[in-house]
């Protein structure tokens, strides 16, 4: 059984592992330290816990197996999935051994409810069009293509 709850401070290292896992690179993916310290990526986690930051963790038998999170960005510091100043940008990752078990769907539905509770009207994300499993999940959950950011598709879900 999957339990979803807010990420706790002592799980920050797991959150960073999931952040690394969420970055889709087919070949030659840099090390976790190199990639997460890239200025374009670091802004997704730097100073985590500020207003607009929210993360949920999925647990199976009390072991974290996945996470979903969002963060607000502004016009002057856009994320890859930026659509506007009032729409948090979403990230999600599941440990490889736990993929294709419905955990991503559970997490996405829970973070959507969290966003509504937090007063948001939409969520956005950036996805590599070649990440077919992720694109299918997002489309199934009602996300629609908003535009492109480099080679990535920007998708938005409006509640």
């Amino acid at each position: 059984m999957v339990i979803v709850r807010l990420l706790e401070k002592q799980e920050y290292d797991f959150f960073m592992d999931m952040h690394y896992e969420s970055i889709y690179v087919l070949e030659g993916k840099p090390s976790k330290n190199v990639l997460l310290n890239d200025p374009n990526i670091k802004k997704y986690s730097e100073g985590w816990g500020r207003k607009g930051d929210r993360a949920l963790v999925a647990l199976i038998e009390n072991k974290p197996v996945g996470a979903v999170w969002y963060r607000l960005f502004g016009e002057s510091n856009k994320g890859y999935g930026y659509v506007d100043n009032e729409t948090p940008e979403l990230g999600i990752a599941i440990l490889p051994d736990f993929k294709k078990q419905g955990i991503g769907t559970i997490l996405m539905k829970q973070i959507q409810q969290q966003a509504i509770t937090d007063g948001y009207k939409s969520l956005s994300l950036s996805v590599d069009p070649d990440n077919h499993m992720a694109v299918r999940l997002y489309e199934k959950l009602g996300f629609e293509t908003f535009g492109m950011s480099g080679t990535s598709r920007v998708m938005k879900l409006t509640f």
Side-chain angles (χ1 to χ4, degrees):
M1 184 170 104
V2 178
I3 294 171
V4 177
R5 62 160 168 73
L6 289 171
L7 183 81
E8 297 174 356
K9 284 185 181 175
Q10 70 270 19
E11 295 168 321
Y12 185 76
D13 288 343
F14 176 74
F15 169 67
M16 294 305 292
D17 290 344
M18 291 296 89
H19 186 190
Y20 178 74
E21 189 69 32
S22 75
I23 302 167
Y24 186 78
V25 178
L26 276 178
E27 294 177 11
K29 188 172 184 175
S31 72
K32 178 182 165 187
N33 188 47
V34 168
L35 189 57
L36 295 185
N37 282 300
D38 178 286
N40 294 318
I41 302 297
K42 191 172 186 168
K43 65 183 166 189
Y44 283 92
S45 59
E46 195 168 38
W48 185 261
R50 69 184 195 194
K51 186 178 186 313
D53 289 349
R54 183 72 73 188
L56 303 176
V57 63
L59 303 156
I60 294 180
E61 296 177 4
N62 221 23
K63 176 186 186 279
V65 297
V68 63
W69 58 92
Y70 57 72
R71 174 169 254 193
L72 275 175
F73 290 96
E75 184 76 33
S76 63
N77 187 29
K78 297 178 181 178
Y80 290 108
Y82 177 85
V83 297
D84 61 46
N85 292 349
E86 288 80 42
T87 302
E89 186 176 338
L90 182 82
I92 184 171
I94 312 297
L95 289 174
D97 290 348
F98 293 90
K99 290 184 178 183
K100 297 184 181 176
Q101 296 180 30
I103 297 167
T105 300
I106 291 167
L107 281 171
M108 291 293 285
K109 288 180 177 179
Q110 290 287 323
I111 201 73
Q112 179 181 340
Q113 287 305 310
Q114 185 65 57
I116 291 167
T117 299
D118 288 346
Y120 297 110
K121 293 178 175 39
S122 57
L123 288 169
S124 70
L125 56 83
S126 169
V127 62
D128 186 311
D130 293 332
N131 189 348
H132 302 292
M133 192 165 76
V135 171
R136 275 194 305 275
L137 171 64
Y138 304 146
E139 288 175 340
K140 183 178 95 178
L141 293 170
F143 280 81
E144 296 178 346
T145 299
F146 183 82
M148 293 295 287
S149 176
T151 59
S152 294
R153 224 164 118 181
V154 177
M155 300 182 81
K156 181 180 178 183
L157 174 68
T158 303
F159 318 132

